[in-house]
């Protein structure tokens, strides 16, 4: 009986274990959460130069290195003489309006075509010849005129006679103004000549530093350009290679994870696994319930057998008692037995064995193992593509080496053009020679310029003394000594002009021919670049008849049309060296950056394949056991319930006991029969109160349990079938769709890899064509050496010198005339010219021209001499 009551106690331990395992599995199987987390490592790629790539492999490029700073100075100070230089330049353009056609002239002189040479000289040099002839005549005439003037004055002519007519004439003021104007022009010319002489000295002093700085900037430009090319080809590509290798090393994240995710979404693998885990929990619960039910059933059978045995014993006793009684003791004892047939309660031990076999397989563990295998699809992808990834890495390294080899011609360019040290030394030697004699030349020019200053000084003294110490109303014979010295100063200035003008003109002629020709036929063609086209640029040049010299010098190929004009034009716009120097002829940029010839990334990535045929969520044995489990649920619940719902005994034992009591009371008291019947009646009541009630309660409880078991197991077959179907569908789709998804994701992965490479190609092409080696420094060097040093500081200074000195010589002529004229009004006269009678009868001065009679008088009669 104790065992009969223990069957009602729940198995708390088993339920707690099942609940714990189920909760743990649910936590491990949260939708979207996998047993291993795959993260792109590193998510951001950086290098020391500032390049950066994010998790999408979008690269942010660092700026190109600036390199060493350039030292060339393109500033220019004209000392306020630009107007003078422009006038000199304009004068040369006037005397030679047409630019020289050097090719035509060269061909004419080479073929010695006299008519052509004569025509060219008339076209280009006639103005220079005329100016030279005028200067030559000036050199001859001025000394001759000076001699004649001196002789003339010694003879009392040309203003030499110390007598003055009409001393109060307004011509004195006109001559004074004229002398002042000439004086001002001569002074400005002398000052400009002096400043130009100083500019020439300072220019010679800075030739070395400017040339050395410019040549140094050439080397700096080449080194900076090469370093920038190396930066793009080595650093930027090296960084791109690191980004690609990062993606190759993370192929499990970039291919495997998306494949797994899409397989999960399309195949519902997670739901299938969740179904298995949930089914396993249901199986465990149901199996435990079936075991408990079977145990209760067995206990009920044991209790029923015991009850039947007790009833049988009591029946035998009652039957024996009744047989000893008279015929009046009649009682039907055939119904004194159990009503239900416990032999009809099916044995479900075999069902329990089937369930136990499934339970022992630990379907949850198997499902989790399948889930683990599914979760490790990224690892499978990575492991099966190791050879492909390593092959791509090797090809990237080979392509990196090939780029360096192809760029070796460019990186060696500074060594090939490293002859600037010899040029610097040559310039230094030449400058030393020039500076050695520079003091002599400078002092000579300063001395000749001082002649003009001397003339100006004398004119200033003469004009000052004459104007300050002479009055218009003074009698010519009574002028002051200071005024007389003013006249002498003016005449001294005239003398110096006559004496030194020819020497100054020779200097002007020499500097005019040299500086003017250089300005008109060298600097101006250089500024408009026409000189390059005729001499240096192209195979049709005078000097370069066979190819392009710059192409041969810089690119080792004289057939490349690399011209000075083109380089300077592009460099003035600060274009990159690749386009300005045509480095595309030295190395093919597209060929260098065309990685597809060396690395067929598309073909390599197309090899990525993964086999999912061996991925199993449930084994075949597990599936068979699940089907056996379904067979284990084949229990005849209606038969069991039908038997259990019957009464425990056919008749109520209490009612039968009452019959025994009634029968006993009809018999004589205290007889053995009466006592035996009463004892049997008591036993039946006891059995009714104890065993029958306990069995009845067990029947009812077991029937309820079986009904619950039937209810709970009603959906299990469907669930099992659906779960098996889900698993089979998931595995089928995994096998069918897996390779296609791998191929699709591999294509996306390939696009990512190729995009990284294409970003480098775009960056490299853009940088080299637009940013690497911006050649404004080359234009600055040319401007510093040619435009500023040669043309502006040297040739403009020479032209400014001869133009200012020539201007002084030109104004020597009016200065001589006006000095001589004005000196007459400043000198004290020995005689004064007057009319007889002095004043007329009205007291007014008579100029002698109103009296017709006096006009017919002889010279001697009209003049009176005062001593």
């Amino acid at each position: 009986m104790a065992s009969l009551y223990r069957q009602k106690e729940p198995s708390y331990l088993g339920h707690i274990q099942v609940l714990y395992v189920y909760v743990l599995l649910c936590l491990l199987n949260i939708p979207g959460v996998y047993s291993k987390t795959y993260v792109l490592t590193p998510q951001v790629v950086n290098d020391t130069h500032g390049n950066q790539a994010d998790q999408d492999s979008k690269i942010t490029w660092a700026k190109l290195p600036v390199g060493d700073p350039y030292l060339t100075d393109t500033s220019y100070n004209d000392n306020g003489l630009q107007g003078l230089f422009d006038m000199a330049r304009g004068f040369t353009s006037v005397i030679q309006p047409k630019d020289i056609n050097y090719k035509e002239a060269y061909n004419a002189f080479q073929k010695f075509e006299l008519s052509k040479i004569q025509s060219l000289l008339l076209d280009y040099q006639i103005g220079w010849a005329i100016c030279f002839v005028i200067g030559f005549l000036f050199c001859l005439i001025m000394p001759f005129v000076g001699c004649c003037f001196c002789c003339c004055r010694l003879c009392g002519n040309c203003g030499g006679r110390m007598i003055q007519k009409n001393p109060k004439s307004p011509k004195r003021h006109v001559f004074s103004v004229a002398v002042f104007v000439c004086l001002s022009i001569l002074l400005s010319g002398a000052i400009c000549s002096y400043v130009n002489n100083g500019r020439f000295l300072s220019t010679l002093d800075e030739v070395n530093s400017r040339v050395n700085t410019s040549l140094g900037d050439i080397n700096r430009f080449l080194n900076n350009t090469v370093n920038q090319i190396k930066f793009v080809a080595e650093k930027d590509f090296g960084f791109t290679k690191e980004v690609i290798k990062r993606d190759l090393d993370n192929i499990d994240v970039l291919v495997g994870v998306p494949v797994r995710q899409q397989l999960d979404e399309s195949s519902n693998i997670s739901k299938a696994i969740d179904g298995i885990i949930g089914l396993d929990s249901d199986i465990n619960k149901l199996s435990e319930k079936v075991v408990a039910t079977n145990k209760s059933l067995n206990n009920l059978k044991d209790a029923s057998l015991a009850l039947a045995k007790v009833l049988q014993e009591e029946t035998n006793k009652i039957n024996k008692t009744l047989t000893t009684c008279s015929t009046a003791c009649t009682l039907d004892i055939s119904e004194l037995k159990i009503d239900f047939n416990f032999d009809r309660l099916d044995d479900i031990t075999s069902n329990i064995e089937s369930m136990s076999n499934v339970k022992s397989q630990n379907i949850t563990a198997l499902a989790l193992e399948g889930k683990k295998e599914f979760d490790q699809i990224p690892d499978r992808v990575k492991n099966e593509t190791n050879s492909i990834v390593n092959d791509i890495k090797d090809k990237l390294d080979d392509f990196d080496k090939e780029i360096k080899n192809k760029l070796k011609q460019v990186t060696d360019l500074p060594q090939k053009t490293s002859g600037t040290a010899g040029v610097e030394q040559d310039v230094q030697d030449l400058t030393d020679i020039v500076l050695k004699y520079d003091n002599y030349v400078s002092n000579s020019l300063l001395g000749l310029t001082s002649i003009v200053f001397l003339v100006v000084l004398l004119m200033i003294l003469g004009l000052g003394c004459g104007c300050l110490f002479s009055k218009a109303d003074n009698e010519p014979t009574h002028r002051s000594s200071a005024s007389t010295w003013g006249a002498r100063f003016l005449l001294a200035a005239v003398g110096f002009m006559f004496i030194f003008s020819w020497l100054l003109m020779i200097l002007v002629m020499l500097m005019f021919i040299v500086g003017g020709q250089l300005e008109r036929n060298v600097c101006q063609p250089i500024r408009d670049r026409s000189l390059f086209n005729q001499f240096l640029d192209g195979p049709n040049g005078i000097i370069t008849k066979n190819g392009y010299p710059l192409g041969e010098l810089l690119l080792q190929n004289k057939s490349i049309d690399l011209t000075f004009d083109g380089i300077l034009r592009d460099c003035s716009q600060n274009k990159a060296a690749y386009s300005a120097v045509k480095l595309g002829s030295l190395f093919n940029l597209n060929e260098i950056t065309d990685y597809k010839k060396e690395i067929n990334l598309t073909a390599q990535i197309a090899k990525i394949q993964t086999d999912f045929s061996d991925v199993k969520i449930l084994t075949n044995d597990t599936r068979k056991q699940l089907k056996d489990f379904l067979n284990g649920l084949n229990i005849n619940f209606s038969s069991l319930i039908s038997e259990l719902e019957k009464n425990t005994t056919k008749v109520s034992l209490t009612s039968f006991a009452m019959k025994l009591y009634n029968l006993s009371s009809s018999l004589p008291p205290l007889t053995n029969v009466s006592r035996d019947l009463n004892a049997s009646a008591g036993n039946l009541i006891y059995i009714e109160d104890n065993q029958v009630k306990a069995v009845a309660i067990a029947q009812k409880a077991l029937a309820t349990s079986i009904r619950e078991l039937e209810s709970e197991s009603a959906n299990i077959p469907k669930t099992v079938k659906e779960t098996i179907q889900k698993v089979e569908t998931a595995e089928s789709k995994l096998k069918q769709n897996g390779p296609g998804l791998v191929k699709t994701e591999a294509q996306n992965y390939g696009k990512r890899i190729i995009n990284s490479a294409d970003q480098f190609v775009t960056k490299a092409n853009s940088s080299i064509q637009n940013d690497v080696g911006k050649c404004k420094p080359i234009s600055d060097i040319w401007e510093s050496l040619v435009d500023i040093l040669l043309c502006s500081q040297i040739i403009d200074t020479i032209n400014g010198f001869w133009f200012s000195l020539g201007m002084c010589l030109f104004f020597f002529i009016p200065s001589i005339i006006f000095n001589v004229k004005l000196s007459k009004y400043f000198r004290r006269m020995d005689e004064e010219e007057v009319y007889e009678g002095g004043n007329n009868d009205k007291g007014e001065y008579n100029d002698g021209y109103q009296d017709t009679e006096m006009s017919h008088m002889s010279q001697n009669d009209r003049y009176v001499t005062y001593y």
Side-chain angles (χ1 to χ4, degrees):
M1 293 300 295
S3 63
L4 184 62
Y5 289 103
R6 281 197 301 270
Q7 65 170 333
K8 298 180 182 180
E9 297 177 3
S11 178
Y12 295 107
L13 181 59
H15 289 172
I16 291 173
Q17 290 176 344
V18 170
L19 180 63
Y20 174 76
V21 173
Y22 181 73
V23 171
L24 179 62
L25 294 177
C26 289
L27 290 175
L28 292 175
N29 198 43
I30 298 173
V33 178
Y34 301 100
S35 59
K36 179 180 178 182
T37 302
Y38 294 88
V39 180
L40 186 68
T41 306
Q43 289 191 343
V44 178
V45 182
N46 296 295
D47 65 4
T48 57
H49 305 288
N51 292 316
Q52 180 175 319
D54 60 14
Q55 59 185 1
D56 296 325
S57 291
K58 182 179 180 181
I59 300 176
T60 302
W61 300 104
K63 293 182 178 180
L64 288 174
V66 177
D68 297 330
Y70 299 102
L71 306 178
T72 297
D73 183 14
T74 57
S75 61
Y76 170 61
N77 182 14
D78 58 12
N79 300 111
L81 298 176
Q82 190 59 46
L84 178 68
F85 300 151
D86 292 339
M87 287 190 289
R89 191 176 297 115
F91 182 76
T92 60
S93 298
V94 169
I95 62 176
Q96 183 188 325
K98 296 170 60 177
D99 294 336
I100 293 180
N101 189 330
Y102 287 102
K103 291 183 180 179
E104 185 180 8
Y106 177 78
N107 293 330
F109 279 97
Q110 189 178 37
K111 298 177 182 179
F112 200 67
E113 299 176 356
L114 294 179
S115 60
K116 187 67 174 176
I117 293 174
Q118 183 179 1
S119 175
L120 291 173
L121 291 175
L122 290 175
D123 287 341
Y124 303 125
Q125 299 299 320
I126 186 65
W128 301 96
I130 292 173
C131 291
F132 184 81
V133 170
I134 292 174
F136 181 73
L137 292 176
F138 184 91
C139 292
L140 294 178
I141 292 174
M142 282 297 287
F144 178 74
V145 171
C147 290
C148 293
F149 178 75
C150 290
C151 294
C152 183
R153 286 188 63 87
L154 289 175
C155 294
N157 297 316
C158 301
R161 188 177 178 184
M162 302 298 289
I163 186 171
Q164 185 175 14
K165 297 178 182 180
N166 196 8
K168 297 181 180 180
S169 173
K171 292 182 179 179
R172 178 178 185 270
H173 301 292
V174 175
F175 293 151
S176 297
V177 172
V179 170
F180 180 78
V181 172
C182 293
L183 169 65
S184 301
I185 295 174
L186 292 178
L187 179 61
S188 62
I191 292 174
C192 290
S193 299
Y194 179 79
V195 173
N196 277 294
N197 187 39
R199 276 173 56 87
F200 191 76
L201 289 175
S202 62
T203 298
L204 292 177
D205 290 336
E206 67 174 288
V207 166
N208 274 338
S209 61
R210 190 176 283 272
V211 170
N212 292 339
T213 298
S214 299
L215 293 177
D217 275 355
I218 292 176
N219 291 329
R220 279 185 281 273
F221 172 74
L222 292 174
N223 290 329
N224 290 343
T225 301
V226 168
N227 289 336
Q228 287 178 339
I229 292 175
K230 284 183 176 180
F231 183 87
V232 173
E234 297 179 6
K235 306 303 181 183
D236 284 351
F237 181 74
F239 179 76
T240 305
K241 188 171 65 173
E242 291 303 316
V243 174
I244 294 176
K245 286 185 176 181
R246 186 273 305 265
D247 291 345
L248 291 173
D249 291 336
N250 286 271
I251 192 172
D252 52 345
V253 179
L254 299 173
V255 177
V257 170
V259 167
R260 182 183 66 182
Q261 184 176 358
Q262 293 188 46
L263 284 173
D264 194 1
E265 293 174 356
S266 63
S267 305
N268 293 321
I269 292 179
S270 293
K271 292 183 178 180
I273 294 174
D274 291 341
I276 294 172
I277 294 174
L279 179 63
D280 189 30
S281 176
D282 293 340
I283 289 174
N284 289 333
K285 291 180 181 179
L286 192 60
S287 178
E288 290 180 0
K289 200 153 196 174
V290 170
V291 170
T293 300
N294 186 55
K295 185 175 182 181
S296 298
L297 184 60
N298 291 332
N299 291 336
L300 180 60
K301 287 182 178 181
D302 292 340
S304 299
L305 288 174
L307 178 60
K309 182 179 179 181
V310 171
L311 289 177
Q312 184 62 41
E313 290 177 353
E314 289 299 325
T315 299
N316 293 334
K317 288 180 181 180
I318 294 172
N319 188 37
K320 184 178 179 181
T321 301
L322 292 177
T323 56
T324 60
C325 183
S326 62
T327 58
C329 296
T330 59
L331 189 63
D332 185 9
I333 61 173
S334 62
E335 294 181 353
L336 193 62
K337 61 181 179 181
I338 296 177
D339 187 25
F340 71 91
N341 188 1
F342 53 80
D343 290 331
R344 293 181 180 177
L345 298 177
D346 295 336
D347 187 5
I348 57 175
T349 303
S350 60
N351 303 75
I352 292 175
E353 291 178 356
S354 298
M355 292 182 181
S356 298
N357 291 334
V358 175
K359 185 178 178 181
S360 65
Q361 291 293 320
N362 194 356
I363 296 178
T364 296
L366 294 176
L368 290 178
E369 186 65 29
K371 183 179 186 302
K372 180 180 179 182
E373 190 172 359
F374 175 74
D375 290 348
Q376 290 178 347
I377 283 179
D379 292 331
R380 179 185 290 262
V381 171
K382 185 172 186 177
N383 295 332
E384 294 184 7
T385 56
N386 272 336
S387 60
I388 298 174
V389 168
N390 292 332
D391 189 27
I392 295 176
K393 288 182 179 180
D394 293 339
K395 290 184 179 298
L396 284 173
D397 293 335
D398 294 339
F399 185 65
D400 190 8
K401 294 177 183 178
E402 186 173 350
I403 287 179
K404 294 178 181 178
N405 292 334
K406 288 181 178 179
L407 290 177
K408 188 171 180 60
Q409 288 180 310
V410 178
T411 56
D412 292 343
L413 193 59
Q415 287 75 22
K416 294 179 180 179
T417 57
S418 59
T420 57
V423 177
E424 292 177 4
Q425 187 60 45
D426 293 340
V427 172
Q428 179 68 45
D429 296 340
L430 180 60
T431 306
D432 291 341
I433 295 173
V434 173
L435 290 175
K436 182 178 180 181
Y437 299 99
D438 178 62
N439 288 331
Y440 302 106
V441 176
S442 175
N443 292 334
S444 300
L445 295 177
L446 184 61
L448 293 175
T449 306
S450 299
I451 295 173
V452 181
F453 275 108
L454 178 60
V455 170
V456 171
L457 177 62
L458 292 173
M459 290 180 66
I460 292 173
L461 293 174
L463 185 63
C465 291
C467 292
L468 294 175
F469 300 103
S470 174
K471 296 182 179 180
D473 57 350
N474 287 345
E475 296 296 333
T477 56
H478 294 86
R479 291 173 182 158
S480 65
S481 298
S483 176
T484 301
W485 274 107
R488 289 172 180 170
F489 284 136
L490 292 176
L491 292 175
V494 171
F496 279 109
M497 291 184 211
F498 277 123
I499 293 172
F500 292 104
S501 60
W502 66 276
L503 185 60
L504 294 174
M505 180 55 74
I506 292 176
L507 176 63
V508 170
M509 289 169 57
L510 293 176
M511 300 186 74
F512 167 71
I513 294 299
V514 175
Q517 289 282 1
L518 288 175
E519 167 61 33
R520 184 65 186 88
N521 298 318
V522 176
C523 283
Q524 291 186 21
I526 284 178
R527 288 190 177 103
D528 60 21
R529 312 275 168 78
S530 61
L531 191 66
F532 298 136
N533 296 328
Q534 298 188 60
F535 276 87
L536 300 174
D537 288 346
N540 296 323
I542 295 174
I543 297 177
T544 58
K545 292 185 177 180
N546 186 18
Y548 296 85
L550 277 182
E552 184 176 7
L553 175 64
L554 297 179
L555 307 177
Q556 290 76 52
N557 188 346
K558 60 185 178 182
S559 64
I560 298 174
D561 59 339
L562 186 64
T563 63
F564 287 92
D565 182 26
I567 290 178
L568 292 177
R569 183 177 59 255
D570 291 342
C571 289
S572 64
Q573 300 172 7
N574 202 22
K575 289 187 177 180
Y578 183 83
S579 58
V581 190
K582 297 187 177 181
L583 292 178
S585 303
L586 186 63
F587 63 92
N588 190 332
L589 183 60
N590 292 329
E591 181 180 347
I592 291 178
T593 57
D594 187 10
Y595 63 91
K596 295 179 181 178
K597 289 184 178 179
E598 304 297 330
I599 312 173
N600 192 345
L601 290 175
T602 303
Q604 290 288 336
I605 293 173
K607 297 178 182 177
I608 296 177
Q609 295 180 356
T610 305
D611 184 15
F612 298 110
S613 60
D614 58 344
V615 176
K616 297 289 185 181
I617 300 175
L618 289 178
T619 62
N620 293 330
D621 291 340
T622 305
R623 290 179 188 147
K624 181 178 181 301
Q625 289 171 357
L626 282 174
K627 292 177 182 179
D628 293 340
F629 173 76
L630 293 179
N631 296 329
L633 289 178
N634 190 14
I635 300 173
N636 191 349
F637 294 101
S638 61
S639 175
L640 289 174
I641 293 173
S642 175
E643 289 298 323
L644 292 174
E645 286 180 345
K646 293 179 179 180
N647 294 325
T648 305
T649 56
K650 287 184 176 293
V651 294
S652 173
L653 296 185
T654 301
S655 300
F656 195 85
M658 294 306 296
K659 290 179 180 181
L660 291 179
Y661 280 130
N662 291 333
L663 180 61
S664 175
S665 64
S666 63
L667 296 177
L670 300 177
T671 61
N672 289 333
V673 174
S674 177
R675 286 195 300 270
D676 290 340
L677 290 175
N678 287 332
S680 295
N683 289 337
L684 289 176
I685 292 172
Y686 177 81
I687 292 171
E688 176 76 22
D689 291 339
N690 291 280
Q691 288 182 272
V692 173
K693 286 184 178 181
V695 172
I697 292 172
Q699 279 183 257
K700 186 176 180 180
L702 183 59
T704 301
S705 177
I706 290 175
R707 285 192 183 94
E708 292 175 355
L709 181 61
E710 181 183 20
S711 176
E712 292 178 3
S713 64
N715 295 325
I716 292 298
K718 181 180 178 181
T719 302
V720 171
K721 291 178 181 179
E722 288 179 351
T723 301
I724 293 175
Q725 182 63 34
K726 287 180 181 178
V727 170
E728 291 177 349
T729 301
E731 291 180 349
S732 175
K733 289 185 176 181
L734 181 63
K735 294 174 184 178
Q736 293 176 1
N737 301 338
L741 288 174
V742 170
K743 184 177 181 180
T744 300
E745 289 303 321
Q747 290 175 350
N748 296 332
Y749 178 70
K751 291 177 182 178
R752 178 187 176 105
I753 299 295
I754 292 173
N755 181 59
S756 297
D758 288 343
Q759 286 184 79
F760 165 74
V761 172
T762 302
K763 165 65 164 54
N765 289 337
S766 175
S767 296
I768 292 177
Q769 292 178 4
N770 301 312
D771 300 321
V772 171
K774 288 190 173 182
C775 62
K776 188 64 166 63
I778 299 298
S779 176
D780 291 342
I781 291 170
W782 174 262
E783 182 180 356
S784 175
L785 292 180
V786 179
D787 288 352
I788 295 178
L789 180 61
L790 176 62
C791 292
S792 296
Q793 290 188 313
I794 295 178
I795 295 179
D796 274 356
T797 300
I798 294 173
N799 291 334
F801 187 88
W802 67 254
F803 188 82
S804 58
L805 197 57
M807 180 177 62
C808 293
L809 292 175
F810 178 80
F811 280 94
F812 270 8
I813 297 175
S815 297
I816 291 172
I817 295 172
F818 292 123
N819 279 5
V820 173
K821 290 289 186 181
L822 184 60
S823 66
K824 193 76 172 183
Y825 292 91
F826 290 164
R827 292 184 67 182
R828 181 188 300 145
M829 296 291 104
D830 294 336
E831 301 176 2
E832 181 180 3
E833 186 180 65
V834 297
Y835 293 106
E836 286 184 350
N839 296 336
N840 57 22
D841 54 355
K842 295 181 180 179
E844 296 177 352
Y845 180 77
N846 190 348
D847 58 5
Y849 296 100
Q850 302 294 329
D851 192 349
T852 58
E853 293 183 358
M854 290 186 67
S855 63
H856 295 286
M857 294 175 65
S858 64
Q859 180 95 7
N860 295 328
D861 293 335
R862 286 188 280 125
Y863 290 106
V864 178
T865 304
Y866 294 90
Y867 296 96

